[in-house]
Structures are given as structure tokens and as C-alpha cells.
């Protein structure tokens, strides 16, 4: 996000209001009060475009045991149906979430198990039982495929 707000020097009466930007994963981000201005530069007839964001709404979903057949080891993750909403200024959002950005979205077995444990919905014993049941299902599926 670019957090520069339009100043009176940058914006004129051609301001356009729009909304919505989202991403999946464990959170969905929506931006509101989005403004864009297009200004004609008389010197070289170029059009300058600027976009500013003032508010970010973050929707964080619960994490539950999923059913993805592509998870070859450990428990698959899925987004649950419960969520919480939080609203931040762009600067607050960047301060809170920027340090947690990752380049690699792969989670190994232990990281997925830890996320499920931290969700508070499962005991460690329940997670081990679910993991064993998923392993039996995977083996069964592999036998049927061959």
C-alpha cells in the first residue's frame, strides 16, 4: 500500500472514490476511502495517476483442519467460518503486519500443527488422533489409485 494522502497540491476536482481490495490466506484486507486523482500536466501532456489508501479493514479467519488431498504429510489447514474484523489506518497496518510478511507460504508439518494448536479449537491429543486418521485415509487413497 502507498500511504501518501493526497494533498491540495496533488488533487483537483477530478477525484474518483472507489473501494475494495482483497487477498486470501489467513486474512482478507479491504481498503476503503480509496481516492485516485488524474491530473493533466500541461508541460508534456502526460497523465499522472495517484492512488491513496486511508483505512484498511482486516478480516482474520480461524484456522481449522482441512481436507486437501495435496497435503502429503501432516494435517492440512483450511480457513474456518468464524472471523474477527479490525480496522486500521494504513500506517498502523504497515506497522503491525509488515514485519510478519513472508516470501515462502509453505508450512511444514510442525508449523501447521502449531497453528492448529494455537487456534484453541483442538487439544494436542486430538490433533495427533486427527493426523493419524488423515494418514490412514491417504494410504487408502494411494492403494485405490494403484
Amino acid at each position: 500500500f502507498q500511504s501518501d494522502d493526497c494533498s491540495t497540491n496533488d488533487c483537483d476536482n477530478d477525484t474518483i472514490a472507489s473501494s475494495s481490495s482483497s487477498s486470501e490466506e489467513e486474512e482478507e484486507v479491504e481498503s476503503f476511502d480509496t481516492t485516485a486523482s488524474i491530473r493533466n500536466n500541461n508541460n508534456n501532456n502526460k497523465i499522472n495517476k495517484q492512488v491513496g489508501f486511508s483505512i484498511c479493514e482486516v478480516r482474520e479467519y480461524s484456522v481449522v483442519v482441512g481436507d486437501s488431498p495435496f497435503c502429503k504429510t501432516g494435517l492440512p489447514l483450511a480457513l474456518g467460518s468464524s472471523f474477527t474484523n479490525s480496522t486500521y489506518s494504513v500506517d498502523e497496518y504497515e506497522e503491525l503486519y509488515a514485519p510478519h510478511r513472508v516470501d515462502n507460504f509453505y508450512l511444514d508439518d510442525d508449523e501447521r500443527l502449531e497453528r492448529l494448536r494455537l487456534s484453541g479449537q483442538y487439544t494436542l491429543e486430538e490433533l495427533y488422533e486427527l493426523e493419524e486418521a488423515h494418514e490412514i485415509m491417504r494410504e487408502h487413497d494411494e492403494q485405490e489409485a494403484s
Side-chain angles (χ1 to χ4, degrees):
F1 293 104
Q2 181 179 350
S3 61
D4 296 337
D5 289 337
C6 291
S7 68
T8 53
N9 296 345
D10 293 334
C11 296
D12 53 39
N13 293 333
D14 296 331
T15 301
I16 304 165
S18 66
S19 70
S20 87
S21 165
S22 64
S23 68
E24 293 181 35
E25 197 38 2
E26 289 181 32
E27 61 192 40
E28 181 178 332
V29 178
E30 297 179 7
S31 62
F32 296 95
D33 297 337
T34 306
T35 57
S37 76
I38 301 173
R39 190 171 51 152
N40 189 355
N41 187 338
N42 292 331
N43 295 339
N44 55 12
N45 290 332
K46 274 183 135 177
I47 295 178
N48 294 323
K49 296 179 183 180
Q50 294 180 339
V51 177
F53 298 92
S54 60
I55 297 173
C56 294
E57 182 175 330
V58 178
R59 179 177 281 182
E60 294 187 62
Y61 287 87
S62 60
V63 180
V64 297
V65 175
D67 60 357
S68 173
F70 299 107
C71 185
K72 299 298 181 191
T73 61
L75 290 170
L77 297 180
L79 297 178
S81 59
S82 62
F83 59 87
T84 59
N85 283 329
S86 303
T87 303
Y88 304 100
S89 72
V90 173
D91 292 334
E92 289 171 327
Y93 174 83
E94 289 294 327
E95 187 177 309
L96 289 170
Y97 289 94
H100 304 291
R101 289 190 184 136
V102 293
D103 294 329
N104 184 358
F105 290 102
Y106 174 79
L107 298 174
D108 65 27
D109 299 356
D110 293 333
E111 291 169 315
R112 291 194 305 271
L113 191 67
E114 183 66 7
R115 287 197 183 197
L116 288 165
R117 188 185 68 75
L118 291 174
S119 75
Q121 299 179 60
Y122 309 95
T123 65
L124 202 51
E125 185 177 306
E126 289 172 326
L127 290 171
Y128 287 140
E129 289 173 9
L130 286 168
E131 193 170 29
E132 192 174 308
H134 275 270
E135 183 59 34
I136 291 169
M137 287 187 340
R138 277 192 288 271
E139 289 173 2
H140 180 264
D141 290 346
E142 286 176 10
Q143 288 175 355
E144 280 189 352
S146 50

